[in-house]
Amino acid sequence: MKIGILGVGNIGATLTRRLSEAGHHVQVANSRGPQTIDSDVLSTGAQAVEAADVVTDVDVVIISIPLAKIPDVAHLIAGVPPGTVVIDTSNYYPLRDGHIEALDGGQVESLWVSEQLGRPVVKAWNAITSQSFDAYAAPAGTTGRLAIPVAADDDADRALGMALVEETGFDAVDAGGLAESWRQQPGAPVYCTDLSAAEVLAALAAAVVTRSPRRRDLAMAVIAELTADPTADLGEDFLVRVNRLMYR
């Protein structure tokens, strides 16, 4: 497939490498121009392009930028043909994104993103830390392989998202429609807690919508305090350990 990836943060960079390594034609862009994209991101064959070109002639567009920046790329998505699948990896953190009234009022993040872009989206790769995503990819059938939930309203779009998740080295779990994707938002038991497919299903079912925002903000406060000391040796799995403690 032809895949355009908008954003080369930690998740976007790993997606670029994995999907091009899997044999897809991948083009990637950021807001600063192709010359600023590290050669390591392109090491498996992806091509760096301008942001205006990353959505041109592709089967899939993956948006991997901070949620607050989503409205800024709506004009790029506006010209994408209806048959192109749009996948969103973002999450809402008021501490980082500023307060968004609709989300603070309880609107599901994926539905808000869909409204901003003016088209349906697939929600994937949002519920795993960048460290785990980079480190724990494994072949299908591997014992203990980690899983990632995928939500979308269209069955075919969700199936495509799940197939791509599998190609990046993780079991894909059908998380249903976007209205239920709050179950994989920050603060929910499945969010960035490194679970198997069976555990992901159980965690999705165990989510309580009123708890997640409070737990998300509490976890962020804990993380901010503990990471304020630059000399602290918190370990590579620090975020996962905090999330397991706070969310499950």
Side-chain angles (χ1 to χ4, degrees):
M1 284 189 297
K2 296 179 180 179
I3 300 175
I5 299 178
L6 187 58
V8 286
N10 292 330
I11 295 292
T14 301
L15 279 169
T16 300
R17 290 191 294 268
R18 296 262 174 82
L19 292 174
S20 55
E21 188 175 29
H24 299 290
H25 176 80
V26 179
Q27 51 195 39
V28 61
N30 62 9
S31 61
R32 296 176 293 129
Q35 71 280 0
T36 67
I37 295 177
D38 195 285
S39 59
D40 178 63
V41 177
L42 311 175
S43 62
T44 56
Q47 178 185 7
V49 300
E50 298 286 351
D53 298 324
V54 78
V55 299
T56 302
D57 190 28
V58 292
D59 305 301
V60 178
V61 175
I62 300 174
I63 302 174
S64 191
I65 62 177
L67 180 140
K69 300 293 185 182
I70 292 288
D72 297 340
V73 303
H75 68 287
L76 296 176
I77 304 302
V80 172
T84 302
V85 176
V86 178
I87 302 178
D88 167 47
T89 75
S90 70
N91 294 294
Y92 177 47
Y93 283 102
L95 186 65
R96 177 197 64 192
D97 299 316
H99 285 279
I100 297 173
E101 184 177 358
L103 299 180
D104 289 342
Q107 185 176 18
V108 177
E109 293 172 16
S110 299
L111 294 178
W112 182 87
V113 169
S114 183
E115 284 185 3
Q116 304 310 303
L117 298 178
R119 61 184 301 141
V121 298
V122 177
K123 189 73 166 185
W125 294 295
N126 75 299
I128 187 166
T129 66
S130 58
Q131 295 91 338
S132 294
F133 189 45
D134 184 59
Y136 297 138
T142 300
T143 301
R145 192 186 197 210
L146 299 185
I148 292 175
V150 180
D153 287 339
D154 184 89
D155 291 344
D157 291 352
R158 191 185 319 114
L160 187 146
M162 292 176 68
L164 292 177
V165 164
E166 293 278 350
E167 290 189 22
T168 61
F170 297 82
D171 285 343
V173 173
D174 187 333
L178 293 182
E180 291 297 306
S181 64
W182 60 267
R183 296 179 183 275
Q184 63 193 75
Q185 290 178 186
V190 79
Y191 184 75
C192 295
T193 47
D194 283 5
L195 306 177
S196 68
E199 290 170 329
V200 163
L201 284 170
L204 290 170
V208 178
V209 67
T210 55
R211 292 179 180 174
S212 294
R214 296 198 304 269
R215 294 186 178 190
R216 173 201 65 203
D217 294 344
L218 182 57
M220 286 301 294
V222 169
I223 291 167
E225 180 177 346
L226 292 177
T227 56
D229 179 3
T231 66
D233 182 11
L234 300 174
E236 292 185 0
D237 64 343
F238 164 67
L239 292 177
V240 171
R241 288 188 283 113
V242 171
N243 291 341
R244 285 179 172 176
L245 177 65
M246 303 294 290
Y247 299 161
R248 298 191 70 193

